[in-house]
C-alpha cells in the first residue's frame, strides 16, 4: 500500500493519508472502540465518515481532521446504526449536521438506544469488574483494552450522555460537489445492516465501505452465528461488493481491521459471504 502513516498521536487509531485530502482512521484494537472511520477535504470544508464508539476517540478524530486538513468539519456521515460506528455522534458539535438514512434513524430509535440503556444499566457493575482486572493485569495490550472499555463505560455513564441521531436524512444517493473533489453518499439498502451507507470518491478511486467490508474474514467464523461480519441481506451485500469490486477501487476502507489491498479484501469478503450464506446463492 502506498498510503502514508501520519505523524498524529491517538490512543485509538492510526491515521493514514490515502491521497492528498483523503484520510482513514484505522482503529488500534478490536474492542468497543474498534471501528474504523475517516475524513476527506472537499475543498472548503471537511466531511467525516463515521464517529467511532468512544467519544474520546471521536475527539481525536476531530483533532486529526483539523491537523490534516486545516479546515472545519461541516458534515458527518453515519454508515449504519451499529453503536461502534455512531456512539461518537455525542462528541459532534450540534452545529454540524449528521447525515444518515431514514432506516438508520429508525433502527437507532428501535435498537441502539436500547443497547445503550443496557450498557448504562450494567455500567457500574462492569466498571467495578474492570477496575479489579486492572489491579492484576500486566499485559499492555489487555490493559489498553480494559482502559478503552472503562473509558467508554465511564463516558456513557456521565450525566447527560445521550446518543445523537442523524438529523439530515437522505434517500438513495446524494452527491456533493466541492471545489477539490466530489463525494457520492450512497445508501446501498439492506446488506450488512438494514441500511448501509457508503462514501464513494469517484475521482480519487476511494470508497469508505463501513461494515460492508471487514479486513479479516476467517472462513472458520462461518458457522459462528453471532460472529461478525454478518449480513441481514446477503444477496444484496454480495451484489454491492461485486459492483464496487469491479470498479477497481484503489482504497476500499473496511469497517473493521487494517487497510489492505482492495482486490484481496473484496475477494475474501465475497468468498466469506458465499460460505456463510450458501442458501442465498443457490
Ligand atoms: Zn462495526
Ligand atoms: Zn455493523
Amino acid at each position: 500500500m502506498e498510503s502514508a502513516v501520519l505523524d498524529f498521536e491517538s490512543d485509538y487509531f492510526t491515521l493514514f493519508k490515502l491521497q492528498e485530502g483523503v484520510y482513514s482512521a484505522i482503529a488500534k484494537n478490536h474492542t468497543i472502540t474498534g471501528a474504523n472511520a475517516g475524513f476527506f477535504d472537499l475543498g472548503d470544508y471537511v466531511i467525516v465518515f463515521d464517529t467511532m464508539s468512544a467519544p474520546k476517540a471521536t475527539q481525536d478524530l476531530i483533532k486529526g481532521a483539523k491537523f490534516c486538513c486545516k479546515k472545519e468539519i461541516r458534515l458527518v456521515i453515519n454508515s449504519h446504526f451499529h453503536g461502534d460506528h455512531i456512539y461518537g455522534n455525542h462528541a459532534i458539535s450540534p452545529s454540524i449536521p449528521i447525515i444518515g438514512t431514514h432506516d438508520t434513524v429508525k433502527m437507532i430509535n428501535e435498537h441502539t438506544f436500547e443497547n445503550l440503556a443496557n450498557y448504562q444499566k450494567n455500567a457500574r457493575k462492569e466498571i467495578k469488574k474492570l477496575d479489579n482486572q486492572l489491579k492484576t493485569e500486566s499485559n499492555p495490550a489487555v490493559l489498553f483494552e480494559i482502559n478503552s472499555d472503562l473509558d467508554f463505560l465511564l463516558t456513557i455513564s456521565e450525566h447527560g450522555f445521550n446518543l445523537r441521531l442523524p438529523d439530515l436524512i437522505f434517500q438513495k444517493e446524494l452527491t456533493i460537489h466541492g471545489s477539490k473533489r466530489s463525494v457520492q453518499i450512497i445508501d446501498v439498502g439492506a446488506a450488512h445492516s438494514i441500511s448501509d451507507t457508503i462514501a464513494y470518491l469517484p475521482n480519487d478511486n476511494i470508497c469508505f465501505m463501513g461494515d460492508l467490508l471487514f479486513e479479516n474474514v476467517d472462513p472458520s467464523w462461518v458457522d459462528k452465528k453471532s460472529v461478525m461480519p454478518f449480513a441481514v441481506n446477503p444477496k444484496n451485500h454480495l451484489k454491492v461488493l461485486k459492483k464496487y469490486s469491479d470498479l477497481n477501487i484503489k482504497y476500499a476502507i473496511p469497517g473493521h481491521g487494517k487497510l489492505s489491498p482492495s482486490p484481496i479484501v473484496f475477494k475474501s469478503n465475497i468468498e466469506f459471504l458465499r460460505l456463510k450464506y450458501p442458501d442465498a446463492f443457490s
Side-chain angles (χ1 to χ4, degrees):
M1 305 292 282
E2 303 149 39
S3 57
V5 179
L6 290 170
D7 190 17
F8 175 82
E9 282 299 319
S10 169
D11 285 342
Y12 301 96
F13 56 79
T14 308
L15 269 189
F16 290 87
K17 181 180 183 177
L18 309 177
Q19 179 103 323
E20 192 60 48
V22 186
Y23 306 85
S24 62
I26 301 297
K28 280 186 175 168
N29 65 59
H30 293 276
T31 61
I32 197 84
T33 52
N36 297 330
F39 49 86
F40 41 91
D41 176 5
L42 272 208
D44 298 307
Y45 59 92
V46 174
I47 296 182
V48 171
F49 184 86
D50 274 346
T51 59
M52 310 189 121
S53 57
K56 281 192 181 161
T58 319
Q59 283 160 7
D60 279 1
L61 191 68
I62 296 166
K63 276 187 211 153
K66 288 193 175 153
F67 170 82
C68 296
C69 306
K70 316 270 183 294
K71 280 169 202 162
E72 294 301 315
I73 296 165
R74 289 266 184 85
L75 182 69
V76 171
I77 301 168
N78 277 167
S79 66
H80 64 301
F81 76 95
H82 291 156
D84 53 333
H85 299 257
I86 61 160
Y87 279 156
N89 285 2
H90 175 76
I92 302 295
S93 157
S95 64
I96 301 169
I98 298 179
I99 190 167
T101 65
H102 172 75
D103 283 339
T104 295
V105 173
K106 187 167 170 269
M107 294 303 281
I108 294 172
N109 274 321
E110 287 174 7
H111 296 276
T112 321
F113 277 110
E114 199 182 317
N115 284 344
L116 178 64
N118 281 333
Y119 279 127
Q120 285 170 326
K121 201 172 84 190
N122 297 318
R124 207 186 270 179
K125 211 169 69 191
E126 287 298 316
I127 289 169
K128 220 173 169 183
K129 214 163 85 187
L130 292 168
D131 271 337
N132 282 332
Q133 284 177 26
L134 271 186
K135 288 176 196 153
T136 52
E137 187 57 59
S138 57
N139 180 330
V142 181
L143 278 172
F144 179 77
E145 283 191 18
I146 296 172
N147 278 316
S148 299
D149 290 352
L150 263 176
D151 199 29
F152 169 73
L153 290 167
L154 288 167
T155 309
I156 61 160
S157 308
E158 274 169 19
H159 184 71
F161 179 88
N162 211 351
L163 184 56
R164 185 177 156 195
L165 285 161
D167 38 26
L168 188 60
I169 309 305
F170 82 107
Q171 261 188 319
K172 298 231 160 62
E173 192 172 325
L174 175 77
T175 300
I176 307 176
H177 296 294
S179 56
K180 252 191 199 166
R181 57 173 46 84
S182 299
V183 57
Q184 294 172 12
I185 303 170
I186 304 163
D187 170 19
V188 302
H192 158 74
S193 74
I194 213 76
S195 171
D196 292 292
T197 296
I198 60 173
Y200 177 45
L201 308 172
N203 309 113
D204 303 287
N205 229 356
I206 293 172
C207 195
F208 290 87
M209 300 291 295
D211 278 357
L212 293 174
L213 272 188
F214 275 54
E215 174 249 337
N216 185 8
V217 276
D218 186 332
S220 73
W221 297 345
V222 162
D223 299 326
K224 296 173 190 153
K225 289 276 172 285
S226 61
V227 167
M228 298 282 253
F230 58 74
V232 299
N233 186 334
K235 240 182 197 166
N236 187 44
H237 195 158
L238 187 84
K239 200 173 117 194
V240 175
L241 291 189
K242 278 183 169 166
K243 178 178 170 183
Y244 287 89
S245 165
D246 288 347
L247 293 179
N248 292 319
I249 285 171
K250 191 174 169 197
Y251 292 109
I253 298 97
H256 295 266
K258 295 180 224 128
L259 266 184
S260 42
S262 48
I264 295 171
V265 82
F266 273 115
K267 192 166 173 268
S268 62
N269 278 261
I270 287 169
E271 278 168 10
F272 182 83
L273 283 178
R274 283 188 187 284
L275 279 172
K276 189 161 171 127
Y277 302 100
D279 293 349
F281 307 111
S282 55

